[in-house]
Amino acid sequence: MPRRWQLTVLASVFAFMIAYARLGLGDQGPSSAERILLDSVNAERKAQGIPALAWDDALAVAARSHAAEMARRNSVAHVLPDEPSLPARATRAGVRFSWLSENVVSAGTVDNAHAQFVKSPAHRANILDPDMDRIGIGVAQRGGQVFVVEDFCKAK
C-alpha cells in the first residue's frame, strides 16, 4: 500500500510539472502559442503603421496567471470573483506601467482567438492602441479550449 501511495504522489508531481511547463510560468519569453499571438498582434499593428509591441516578461506573468485561473474556472472575464483587478495583478507581477488594457477570450485555437480579438471593436482597439508599447500574453488550455489573455501597457 505505501508503494502505491508513493507512485500516486510521483504521478501527481509529474502532472503538475507538465502543466506548469505548458503554461510557460517558469519560462522567460513567449511560449510557441504566445509567440503566434505576439506575431499576429504586431502584424496587425504593422499593417496600420503602428510600431510593434515589445514583449514584457512581468506583464506575461500577470497574463499567464489570469489565463490559468480562467481555464481552471472555465470562465472568461477580466476579473473573476475573489481575484485582483488587472492593475493589482500587474503590480504584483512587477510591471511598471502608466496605462493598462486587456483582451480575454476562449477559443478552439490561438488563431481563432486572434480572429475573435480582431473582429471585436474593443479588442481591436487595444491591439491597435498607439500609446501602448509592451505586451504580455498568457495561454492556458482546458478541454480542447484555449483561454487567452493579452495584457498591454504603456511602460513607465
Side-chain angles (χ1 to χ4, degrees), residues 72-135:
R72 186 180 76 77
R73 297 185 192 199
N74 198 26
S75 181
V76 176
H78 291 284
V79 180
L80 296 163
D82 302 320
E83 184 187 40
S85 66
L86 171 59
R89 293 190 312 260
T91 299
R92 183 174 56 192
V95 179
R96 295 185 37 81
F97 61 91
S98 57
W99 189 249
L100 289 167
S101 64
E102 181 176 69
N103 290 346
V104 296
V105 74
S106 176
T109 67
V110 292
D111 290 327
N112 288 343
H114 180 71
Q116 287 183 46
F117 286 147
V118 172
K119 288 178 185 175
S120 161
H123 291 123
R124 184 173 173 77
N126 285 340
I127 289 169
L128 299 179
D129 186 342
D131 291 331
M132 298 299 181
D133 57 13
R134 307 255 185 238
I135 189 170

Side-chain angles (χ1 to χ4, degrees), residues 48-76:
Q48 299 300 316
I50 302 167
L53 295 168
W55 181 261
D56 187 292
D57 284 324
L59 203 53
V61 167
R64 289 170 180 156
S65 174
H66 187 55
E69 190 61 22
M70 289 192 323
R72 186 180 76 77
R73 297 185 192 199
N74 198 26
S75 181
V76 176

